Amino acid sequence: MREGDKLIITKIDRFARSVKNLHNVASQLEDNGIGLIFLKEQIDFSTPSGK
């Protein structure tokens, strides 16, 4: 993925096994300028309210 892309995941439990794992991966994506969106939970980590 490139900077400015968004990774769209259907359910959060399909992406991460623990909160710590989710935090680590989300931080890495953010550092690379990649947005993270969870559809079922309606969470968009690329917006201020999602952070």
Side-chain angles (χ1 to χ4, degrees), residues 1-8 29 32-37 46:
M1 299 188 78
R2 295 172 288 198
E3 186 174 342
D5 287 349
K6 293 192 180 198
L7 179 60
I8 300 174
L29 290 171
N32 291 316
I34 299 169
L36 181 60
I37 300 171
S46 63

Side-chain angles (χ1 to χ4, degrees), residues 16-51:
R17 296 273 181 191
S18 66
V19 174
K20 182 178 180 180
N21 179 247
L22 173 62
H23 181 275
N24 290 338
V25 175
S27 294
Q28 290 175 344
L29 290 171
E30 183 180 7
D31 291 345
N32 291 316
I34 299 169
L36 181 60
I37 300 171
F38 295 100
L39 295 178
K40 184 178 179 195
E41 293 82 3
Q42 297 180 355
I43 302 170
D44 185 350
F45 278 70
S46 63
T47 64
S49 62
K51 293 178 183 177

Side-chain angles (χ1 to χ4, degrees), residues 4-15:
D5 287 349
K6 293 192 180 198
L7 179 60
I8 300 174
I9 308 293
T10 54
K11 291 173 54 177
I12 201 167
D13 66 342
R14 297 285 127 213
F15 182 71

